[in-house]
């Protein structure tokens, strides 16, 4: 017990130290630069690619925000697989609302890849008119100065890709609250920490601005059509090609309002599996720096005592307070009591960490895959013990229709 307690105490202290460095990195990233290069920057036309599937939370306002950009010239392309997608009608309403904007709707059932998002993007990319593209998810809400803020970075020819920090907003359910707590602490903290201290740019697919020639130089979208973490791989390959990857401090909103807890668990199980397949041994660092989870292990193994309870409570308090600070710093609209759930979220994430060690199968957008190295996807067989929960869920869903 004594050995376990002191090992966990040391790891907890180390994890909280890393968390403090993440907070410092976020503060530095969000500090406006002394110079403002946008004054004399050139703003070339941009093709905004918006892959759509289904009705995301706040979808109409999300799409509308991209049509009100204070930017000289840009087009917005909504891309869908078929006319029956419920997002199609909303896309049509947006197009009708802005008749003077360059807005197009591309519908093409492209199915040559295993990544459904990339399948949706390729027809939009082929239809785009401009030499610079922006890939942005449908659950993103931005301000009117978004394109102008990030577009200025490409005036530097050494920059190959620009991505953004994100913050989760709008939670009205427990699943959405957990998702936003994770985005506003682990995700934003890790991105800033890796970029600031380790010089490892981490690209988030919610916002990727790049030149077509730089994307084509690494194989284009076709090269990632069978990859789950297409955003990370694109960023990594652009970086390897000798181009800089810039993480913009301009925060964009990832709107999550009505997520169920099962959706949260499924998403982060999938993300854990892709990080394991990409990071390998480095994946271990995630569990070792999860201070709240580690601090609870002595309490679980040896039972409650003054020492074990004090360790768990101290870690939970520091983490909740730090998450609250990050929320204020990033301008996240979240009530203070919500941060009391941050330690519970960290415990759930800690439990999910072990899943990739037991299974390499994922279910995503109605498809089932096996994840290989670098998050490459392969078809998963419909039979076998692993698929039993999904087949049961399908049967229940069919009976309820």
């Amino acid at each position: 017990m004594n050995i376990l307690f002191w090992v966990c105490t040391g790891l907890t202290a180390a994890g909280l130290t890393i968390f403090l460095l993440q907070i410092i990195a976020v503060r530095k990233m969000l500090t406006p630069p002394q110079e403002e290069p946008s004054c004399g920057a050139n703003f070339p036309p941009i093709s905004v690619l918006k892959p759509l599937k289904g009705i995301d939370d706040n979808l109409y306002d999300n799409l509308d925000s991209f049509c009100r950009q204070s930017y000289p010239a840009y087009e917005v392309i909504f891309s869908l697989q078929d006319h029956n997608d419920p997002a199609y009608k909303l896309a049509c309403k947006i197009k009708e609302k802005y008749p003077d904007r360059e807005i197009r709707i591309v519908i093409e059932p492209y199915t040559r890849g295993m990544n459904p998002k990339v399948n949706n993007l390729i027809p939009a990319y082929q239809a785009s008119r401009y030499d610079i593209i922006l890939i942005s998810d449908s659950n993103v809400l931005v301000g009117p100065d978004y394109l102008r803020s990030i577009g200025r970075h490409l005036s530097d020819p050494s920059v190959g890709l620009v991505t953004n920090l994100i913050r989760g907003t709008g939670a009205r359910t427990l699943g959405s609250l957990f998702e936003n707590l994770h985005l506003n602490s682990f995700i934003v903290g890790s991105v800033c920490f890796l970029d600031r201290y380790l010089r490892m740019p981490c690209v988030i697919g919610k916002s990727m601005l790049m030149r077509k020639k730089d994307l084509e130089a690494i194989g284009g979208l076709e090269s990632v059509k069978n990859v789950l973490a297409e955003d990370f791989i694109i960023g990594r390959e652009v970086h390897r090609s000798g181009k800089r990857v810039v993480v913009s401090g301009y925060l964009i909103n990832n709107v999550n309002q009505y997520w169920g807890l099962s959706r949260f668990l499924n998403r982060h199980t999938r993300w854990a599996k892709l990080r394991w397949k990409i990071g390998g041994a480095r994946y271990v660092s995630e569990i070792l720096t999860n201070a709240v989870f580690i601090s609870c292990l002595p309490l679980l193994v040896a039972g409650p005592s003054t020492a074990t309870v004090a360790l768990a409570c101290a870690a939970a308090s520091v983490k909740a307070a730090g998450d609250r600070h990050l929320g204020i710093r990033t301008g996240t609209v979240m009530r203070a009591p919500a941060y009391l759930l941050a330690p519970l979220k960290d415990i759930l994430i800690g439990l999910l960490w072990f899943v990739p060690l037991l299974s390499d199968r994922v279910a995503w957008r109605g498809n089932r895959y096996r994840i290989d190295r670098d998050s490459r996807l392969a078809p998963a067989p419909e039979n076998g013990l692993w698929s039993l929960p999904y087949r049961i869920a399908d049967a229940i869903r069919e009976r309820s229709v």
Side-chain angles (χ1 to χ4, degrees):
M1 158 57 190
N2 286 337
I3 295 177
L4 173 65
F5 176 78
W6 288 113
V7 168
C8 289
T9 298
L11 290 175
T12 298
L16 293 177
T17 300
I18 295 295
F19 181 52
L20 175 61
L21 291 175
Q22 289 178 343
I23 293 175
I24 294 172
V26 172
R27 290 174 61 93
K28 289 182 177 180
M29 189 74 78
L30 296 180
T31 300
Q34 295 300 315
E35 70 281 354
E36 185 51 63
S38 62
C39 296
N42 181 33
F43 295 102
I46 297 175
S47 293
V48 179
L49 313 184
K50 301 288 292 186
L52 305 180
K53 183 175 176 60
I55 303 296
D56 285 313
D57 294 338
N58 202 51
L59 181 60
Y60 184 88
D61 289 338
N62 297 343
L63 302 183
D64 186 80
S65 69
F66 281 82
C67 300
R68 295 184 284 104
Q69 291 298 300
S70 175
Y71 195 82
Y74 69 99
E75 66 172 349
V76 179
I77 303 177
F78 300 130
S79 181
L80 305 99
Q81 291 286 298
D82 60 71
H83 290 85
N84 295 322
D85 192 305
Y88 173 67
K89 291 184 178 180
L90 279 183
C92 290
K93 288 183 179 180
I94 293 292
K95 181 176 172 61
E96 292 171 1
K97 182 178 178 180
Y98 297 98
D100 298 329
R101 288 288 189 192
E102 290 186 71
I103 301 174
R104 285 184 289 156
I105 302 174
V106 174
I107 299 177
E108 183 177 333
Y110 187 99
T111 56
R112 279 182 267 173
M114 293 188 186
N115 184 317
K117 176 183 173 180
V118 177
N119 282 344
N120 224 350
L121 279 171
I122 288 176
Y125 179 81
Q126 294 171 342
S128 61
R129 296 170 179 166
Y130 300 128
D131 294 330
I132 295 177
I133 62 165
L134 169 71
I135 296 174
S136 174
D137 288 353
S138 56
N139 60 356
V140 170
L141 179 73
V142 296
D145 57 340
Y146 165 62
L147 287 183
R148 185 174 289 272
S149 175
I150 64 173
R152 64 183 176 82
H153 291 288
L154 289 186
S155 61
D156 183 348
S158 69
V159 175
L161 189 151
V162 184
T163 189
N164 285 75
L165 298 180
I166 62 174
R167 62 185 167 201
T169 62
R172 298 185 181 181
T173 61
L174 182 61
S176 294
L177 179 58
F178 280 165
E179 176 67 11
N180 291 343
L181 284 170
H182 198 62
L183 288 174
N184 300 335
S185 57
F186 175 78
I187 299 299
V188 72
S190 297
V191 170
C192 292
F193 178 85
L194 291 173
D195 185 73
R196 281 279 170 172
Y197 298 124
L198 302 183
R199 298 293 184 261
M200 293 173 56
C202 186
V203 174
I204 298 177
K206 304 294 178 185
S207 176
M208 297 192 296
L209 181 73
M210 68 196 95
R211 302 177 189 87
K212 284 183 176 178
K213 64 179 183 181
D214 292 329
L215 178 59
E216 295 296 336
I218 63 168
L221 290 173
E222 290 280 346
S223 67
V224 292
K225 67 183 180 182
N226 294 321
V227 171
L228 180 58
E230 81 290 334
D231 48 1
F232 177 85
I233 299 299
I234 288 174
R236 187 187 69 183
E237 295 307 308
V238 168
H239 182 65
R240 286 178 176 178
S241 73
K243 292 282 190 174
R244 290 174 54 215
V245 175
V246 173
V247 180
S248 170
Y250 184 98
L251 282 159
I252 60 175
N253 298 304
N254 187 172
V255 183
N256 305 300
Q257 294 178 316
Y258 298 105
W259 281 36
L261 185 59
S262 62
R263 183 176 177 183
F264 169 81
L265 296 174
N266 182 63
R267 176 184 180 87
H268 289 286
T269 299
R270 187 173 72 246
W271 276 19
K273 290 177 180 179
L274 72 85
R275 291 198 301 273
W276 163 239
K277 291 299 183 179
I278 291 174
R282 289 174 294 179
Y283 180 64
V284 177
S285 66
E286 289 189 21
I287 192 69
L288 294 181
T289 56
N290 187 334
V292 172
F293 183 80
I294 294 296
S295 71
C296 290
L297 293 181
L299 183 62
L300 178 65
V301 173
S305 68
T306 301
T308 58
V309 171
L311 178 63
C313 289
S317 299
V318 172
K319 187 58 167 56
D323 282 7
R324 170 63 173 162
H325 176 79
L326 284 174
I328 294 173
R329 193 69 183 181
T330 57
T332 303
V333 181
M334 190 180 294
R335 295 181 178 178
Y339 292 96
L340 297 177
L341 293 174
L344 177 58
K345 183 270 301 179
D346 286 352
I347 292 172
L348 286 176
I349 292 295
L351 294 172
L352 294 180
W353 182 90
F354 295 93
V355 175
L357 308 182
L358 306 173
S359 169
D360 61 359
R361 266 62 168 177
V362 295
W364 183 34
R365 292 190 178 183
N367 303 294
R368 292 160 192 166
Y369 309 103
R370 186 183 77 249
I371 306 180
D372 294 324
R373 185 178 179 183
D374 270 356
S375 80
R376 293 204 166 273
L377 298 170
E382 290 297 324
N383 53 10
L385 184 61
W386 83 272
S387 64
L388 183 59
Y390 300 111
R391 285 187 278 126
I392 293 175
D394 288 344
I396 294 174
R397 192 179 298 111
E398 289 175 2
R399 288 178 177 273
S400 63
V401 172

